[in-house]
């Protein structure tokens, strides 16, 4: 009898589970990157130019600060906004670097990476059906965050011939009565593009003309080569329209710590903090302690890593061009985005075959939007020896499949 009951309970549970998933979750397509990395898990001896994260460990003095705080028993929640000292240091950093003034009490929120900050920003500003204009290709989370907040992503194609820079006029023709925001992320993932100041000024003018918020994801701000990053919020008169997102993952090799921040006018940060306090409470305490150390003493580490990425960037860009995959010169982040049109394959086929036949992992450009088709993303935050070997293997592969 007991067994019969258990059986019928089990059957019921299975039937219920089919109905449990929300339409919202069902509407999301799995990240094109993840889908591809599931394949990768099954392979051995791969050279990965896939995942977008530094091959460096977090500089030890940064990790050590967190370890010591744990030893001292500093393991409790922090203020919802984050440790005051960290907010003050972030404000100081933004002032010194870009000349912008934000009040650590009310205009800065420490988050679980830029990932959480993006989600909060969308949920704080969007009503159902509101439109957010963003470039194509773009970082995989951008359209999903908008969709999850019941907004509508509106894509602006960008092209290699324009260095993958999004044009203000192409944004402006897409503005409707439903447009709430423009979402940009430069230096860009996946292209490595950096926006010239004048083009950002043109976008700022569009935002002001149409009363739009600009969400500027500047997680790669420190990773530029031979050019200066312009912080969107520092442009004249645009502060009130801007939600600036930044973080520690890339510049300080701290991806696993999960720490970032949002900076915006008081009203916006208050709305984001309300959502954050109910869903997250506070960013991880040890990660906040590590971030304090990073801002206090991590500058030489950033400079050293950026110099190293630049060396690798030069090798990979030249190498890709030499093997017959034309590659636009990326001026930021740590991605090369070569065209694969000399072969007959689309980006997914190319990436899958390259992985199977030559054991090199790259990401299909199509994972980042339609305009990413015809390209693959190669992350060069890996050793020079691996980059050189990957180029050898890719060279062999391209020779075989050249049309
Ligand atoms: C453009 C961009 N924004 C945000 C993120 C997420 O960063 P975090 O680790 O701070 O959540 C990434 C990670 O790859 C990224 O490439």
């Amino acid at each position: 009898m007991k067994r019969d009951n258990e059986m019928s309970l089990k059957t019921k549970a299975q039937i219920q589970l089919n109905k449990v998933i929300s339409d919202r979750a069902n509407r999301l397509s799995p990240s094109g990157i993840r889908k591809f990395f599931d394949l990768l898990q099954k392979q051995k001896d791969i050279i990965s130019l896939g995942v977008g994260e530094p091959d460096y460990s977090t500089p030890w003095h940064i990790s050590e600060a967190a370890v010591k705080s744990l030893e001292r028993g500093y393991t409790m929640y922090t203020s919802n906004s984050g440790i005051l000292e960290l907010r003050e240091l972030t404000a100081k950093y933004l002032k010194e670097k870009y000349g912008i003034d934000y009040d650590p009490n009310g205009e800065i929120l420490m988050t679980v990476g830029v990932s959480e900050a993006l989600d909060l920003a969308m949920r704080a500003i969007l009503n159902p059906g509101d439109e957010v204009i963003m470039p194509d290709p773009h970082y995989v989370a951008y359209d999903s965050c908008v969709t999850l907040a019941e907004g509508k992503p509106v894509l602006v194609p960008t092209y290699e011939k324009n260095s993958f820079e999004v044009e203000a006029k192409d944004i402006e023709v897409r503005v409707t009565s439903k447009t709430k925001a423009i979402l940009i992320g430069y230096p860009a993932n996946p292209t490595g593009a950096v926006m010239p100041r004048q083009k950002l000024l043109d976008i700022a003018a569009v935002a002001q003309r149409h009363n739009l918020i600009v969400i500027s994801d500047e997680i790669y701000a420190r990773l530029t080569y031979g050019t200066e990053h312009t912080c969107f919020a520092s442009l004249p008169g645009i502060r009130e329209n801007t939600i600036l997102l930044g973080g520690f993952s890339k510049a300080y090799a701290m991806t696993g710590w999960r720490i970032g921040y949002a900076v915006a006018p008081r009203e916006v940060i208050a709305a984001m903090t309300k959502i954050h306090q109910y869903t997250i409470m506070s960013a991880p305490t040890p990660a906040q302690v590590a971030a304090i150390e990073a801002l206090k003493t991590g500058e030489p580490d950033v400079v050293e890593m950026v110099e190293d990425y630049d060396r690798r960037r030069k090798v990979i860009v030249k190498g890709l061009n030499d093997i017959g995959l034309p590659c636009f010169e990326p001026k930021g982040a740590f991605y090369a985005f070569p065209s694969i049109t000399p072969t007959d394959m689309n980006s997914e086929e190319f990436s899958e075959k390259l992985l199977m036949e030559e054991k090199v992992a790259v990401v299909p450009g199509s994972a980042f939007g339609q305009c990413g088709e015809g390209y693959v993303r190669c992350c060069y935050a890996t050793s020079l020896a691996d980059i050189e070997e990957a180029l050898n293997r890719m060279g062999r592969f391209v020779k075989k499949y050249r049309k």
Side-chain angles (χ1 to χ4, degrees):
M1 182 62 182
K2 187 172 168 237
R3 207 161 160 253
D4 282 355
N5 277 347
E6 276 177 12
M7 293 265 296
S8 80
L9 272 177
K10 247 191 205 156
T11 325
K12 272 191 191 144
Q14 271 170 4
I15 293 162
Q16 294 291 329
L17 278 180
N18 295 339
K19 298 183 183 163
V20 141
I21 307 305
S22 69
D23 296 344
R24 194 184 304 114
N26 275 330
R27 267 197 303 271
L28 283 183
S29 38
S31 149
I33 296 191
R34 280 292 136 216
K35 225 167 41 188
F36 192 70
F37 282 106
D38 288 345
L39 260 180
L40 207 154
Q41 299 297 325
K42 296 179 192 138
Q43 300 274 324
K44 285 213 177 79
D45 309 322
I46 304 286
I47 297 182
S48 180
L49 308 180
V51 188
E53 67 179 335
D55 61 331
Y56 287 100
S57 295
T58 306
W60 175 244
H61 65 102
I62 295 176
S63 300
E64 194 181 31
V67 170
K68 287 198 170 142
S69 78
L70 291 171
E71 282 170 355
R72 287 196 308 272
Y74 194 44
T75 54
M76 65 296 277
Y77 297 128
T78 71
S79 133
N80 292 137
S81 313
I83 300 171
L84 180 60
E85 186 186 7
L86 177 54
R87 283 180 277 137
E88 285 171 349
L89 284 166
T90 304
K92 182 167 170 268
Y93 171 83
L94 292 171
K95 173 77 181 168
E96 284 172 5
K97 198 100 198 126
Y98 306 117
I100 48 181
D101 280 297
Y102 283 93
D103 182 354
N105 288 300
E107 293 187 321
I108 299 181
L109 171 64
M110 303 314 300
T111 57
V112 180
V114 168
S115 302
E116 190 215 348
L118 262 173
D119 179 49
L120 292 178
M122 295 310 167
R123 288 201 280 163
I125 65 167
L126 297 183
N127 285 317
D130 282 350
E131 295 174 1
V132 179
I133 302 177
M134 64 183 77
D136 176 1
H138 57 248
Y139 174 52
V140 290
Y142 288 174
D143 51 340
S144 300
C145 278
V146 172
T147 309
L148 267 176
E150 299 187 45
K152 188 176 159 219
V154 174
L155 304 178
V156 184
T158 62
Y159 302 103
E160 186 179 346
K161 64 177 192 296
N162 296 343
S163 311
F164 290 109
E165 292 160 8
V166 65
E167 305 289 332
K169 64 176 176 17
D170 296 336
I171 293 177
E172 193 155 28
V173 294
R174 287 169 174 81
V175 174
T176 71
S177 59
K178 292 262 185 201
T179 308
K180 191 64 150 300
I182 300 166
L183 169 57
I184 52 174
Y186 291 95
N189 177 3
T191 60
V194 170
M195 282 285 269
R197 184 181 165 85
Q198 184 55 49
K199 289 203 173 172
L200 291 173
L201 282 167
D202 296 343
I203 294 175
V206 172
Q208 281 169 335
R209 264 201 296 281
H210 299 276
N211 229 343
L212 304 175
I213 290 284
V214 176
I215 300 147
S216 186
D217 172 0
E218 302 186 18
I219 191 159
Y220 294 104
R222 297 305 311 278
L223 275 55
T224 58
Y225 313 102
T227 179
E228 282 292 308
H229 171 72
T230 302
C231 174
F232 192 81
S234 73
L235 299 175
I238 203 65
R239 185 189 186 282
E240 295 303 299
N241 298 57
T242 306
I243 306 178
L244 165 63
L245 310 182
F248 296 82
S249 288
K250 314 289 177 172
Y252 298 94
M254 287 177 68
T255 48
W257 293 86
R258 312 308 305 124
I259 183 78
Y261 54 84
V263 173
R266 202 165 292 280
E267 296 77 0
V268 177
I269 290 296
M272 291 172 68
T273 306
K274 270 195 283 183
I275 306 170
H276 171 81
Q277 89 190 4
Y278 291 124
T279 51
I280 301 291
M281 190 89 90
S282 56
T285 304
Q288 292 191 55
V289 173
I292 288 174
E293 180 66 23
L295 285 176
K296 278 183 173 166
T297 61
E299 186 59 23
D301 303 293
V302 177
V303 171
E304 197 184 314
M305 287 189 272
V306 171
E307 278 172 9
D308 204 19
Y309 294 143
D310 193 17
R311 278 191 286 276
R312 301 169 187 191
R313 178 184 73 105
K314 286 177 181 143
V315 170
I316 200 165
V317 171
K318 178 172 185 311
L320 288 165
N321 282 309
D322 286 351
I323 63 173
L325 297 180
C327 186
F328 144 87
E329 193 193 341
K331 298 264 176 67
F334 39 45
Y335 306 107
F337 202 55
S339 164
I340 52 157
T341 46
T343 73
D344 257 339
M345 290 172 272
N346 69 28
S347 62
E348 203 160 323
E349 255 180 285
F350 181 100
S351 307
E352 249 180 76
K353 279 206 170 110
L354 182 66
L355 179 61
M356 298 302 172
E357 295 179 22
E358 294 289 352
K359 296 187 183 299
V360 176
V362 296
V363 181
S366 58
F368 306 94
Q370 270 180 16
C371 292
E373 187 49 87
Y375 298 86
V376 293
R377 190 191 77 175
C378 306
C379 174
Y380 55 82
T382 192
S383 72
L384 264 180
D386 274 1
I387 290 171
E388 274 158 5
E389 178 54 21
L391 285 167
N392 278 340
R393 296 184 192 185
M394 288 172 84
R396 203 157 54 209
F397 183 78
V398 172
K399 231 183 218 158
K400 183 168 161 195
Y401 287 105
R402 202 194 306 272
K403 31 180 194 204

